[in-house]
Amino acid sequence: IHSSTFKEFSNMKLDLANNEFEKASSFLCDMTDELTDWWDGEVGKVIDGGGNGCDAILCPPATYNTLGRATSEDDGECVECESATFAGAVTCPEATEDNSREKEILDGLYIATAGDQWSKVVNWTETNVCSYEGIVCSDGGAVTEINVTSFGLKGEIPADIWELPSLRKVDFSSNVVDLSFEGIEKATKLKEL
């Protein structure tokens, strides 16, 4: 079926979720105003609620929803998830192995910089890295920010800090630390240092 014929169908329920699509067709996205009755009117309801009609057909890559598409329900939007590589993801595939590696890296930072002597130590070395004070995570649970300003870190920041796959922002200011930029090329999403 050529995508141009889709507008001939009213109230279409086109379930594209959980496949390996790169994105929804730009043709479909450009004509969502004409497809407002699809999914029992959900496309129109999402648009009326200020959302993206295209998301109501298929969540874009790097997002997910349990239905693979946005709905007008509370919390029905496509949620950010760095590891959702395809459109229409129904889960955020944060691998346990990745999360354990993030914990290993952050716990290594704590040990290498005399964490037991920091002035601010809330939940560090607990099970969930997202509960560590100064750590910000995405909705999917990936570490996106380290802000340990004035925590009292001393020593050398381990170079494996750059291996955090979703790291966007780092702030070690007002601490007595040495920071090496060796390996920073691994921090492909880093925007602020």
Side-chain angles (χ1 to χ4, degrees):
I1 293 179
H2 190 272
S3 58
S4 64
T5 60
F6 284 132
K7 65 182 175 183
E8 297 175 22
F9 298 98
S10 62
N11 196 16
M12 172 79 89
K13 292 182 180 177
L14 184 63
D15 190 357
L16 302 173
N18 214 25
N19 285 288
E20 293 189 357
F21 293 112
E22 292 180 7
K23 62 181 179 177
S25 164
S26 59
F27 180 82
L28 283 176
C29 293
D30 290 344
M31 60 181 277
T32 54
D33 288 337
E34 298 173 46
L35 307 176
T36 55
D37 290 333
W38 280 27
W39 284 107
D40 291 328
E42 276 298 307
V43 172
K45 290 176 188 175
V46 168
I47 293 170
D48 291 345
N52 181 333
C54 193
D55 289 359
I57 296 171
L58 194 65
C59 285
T63 67
Y64 80 103
N65 180 295
T66 56
L67 298 174
R69 60 183 173 78
T71 69
S72 62
E73 302 294 318
D74 288 340
D75 299 322
E77 68 276 355
C78 296
V79 178
E80 181 181 328
C81 173
E82 298 288 334
S83 60
T85 54
F86 295 105
V90 296
T91 61
C92 185
E94 294 292 338
T96 305
E97 180 179 311
D98 289 344
N99 289 341
S100 65
R101 178 64 179 140
E102 288 182 339
K103 180 170 176 35
E104 180 182 324
I105 290 168
L106 291 175
D107 288 353
L109 169 68
Y110 179 84
I111 292 165
T113 58
D116 60 340
Q117 297 172 24
W118 291 0
S119 60
K120 300 176 186 177
V121 185
V122 177
N123 296 331
W124 276 78
T125 71
E126 296 293 322
T127 308
N128 183 351
V129 296
C130 297
S131 67
Y132 290 13
E133 185 172 351
I135 301 300
V136 176
C137 292
S138 68
D139 289 338
V143 174
T144 59
E145 183 177 331
I146 300 172
N147 184 348
V148 289
T149 303
S150 301
F151 273 39
L153 281 71
K154 297 175 188 167
E156 187 171 330
I157 303 296
D160 63 355
I161 205 80
W162 309 123
E163 295 176 26
L164 293 166
S166 299
L167 189 63
R168 292 183 182 157
K169 180 180 178 183
V170 174
D171 191 344
F172 293 115
S173 61
S174 299
N175 291 291
V176 182
V177 294
D178 292 321
L179 179 62
S180 170
F181 294 104
E182 183 177 337
I184 197 169
E185 70 277 1
K186 295 175 186 173
T188 58
K189 296 183 177 162
L190 187 65
K191 297 196 182 301
E192 190 174 333
L193 181 62

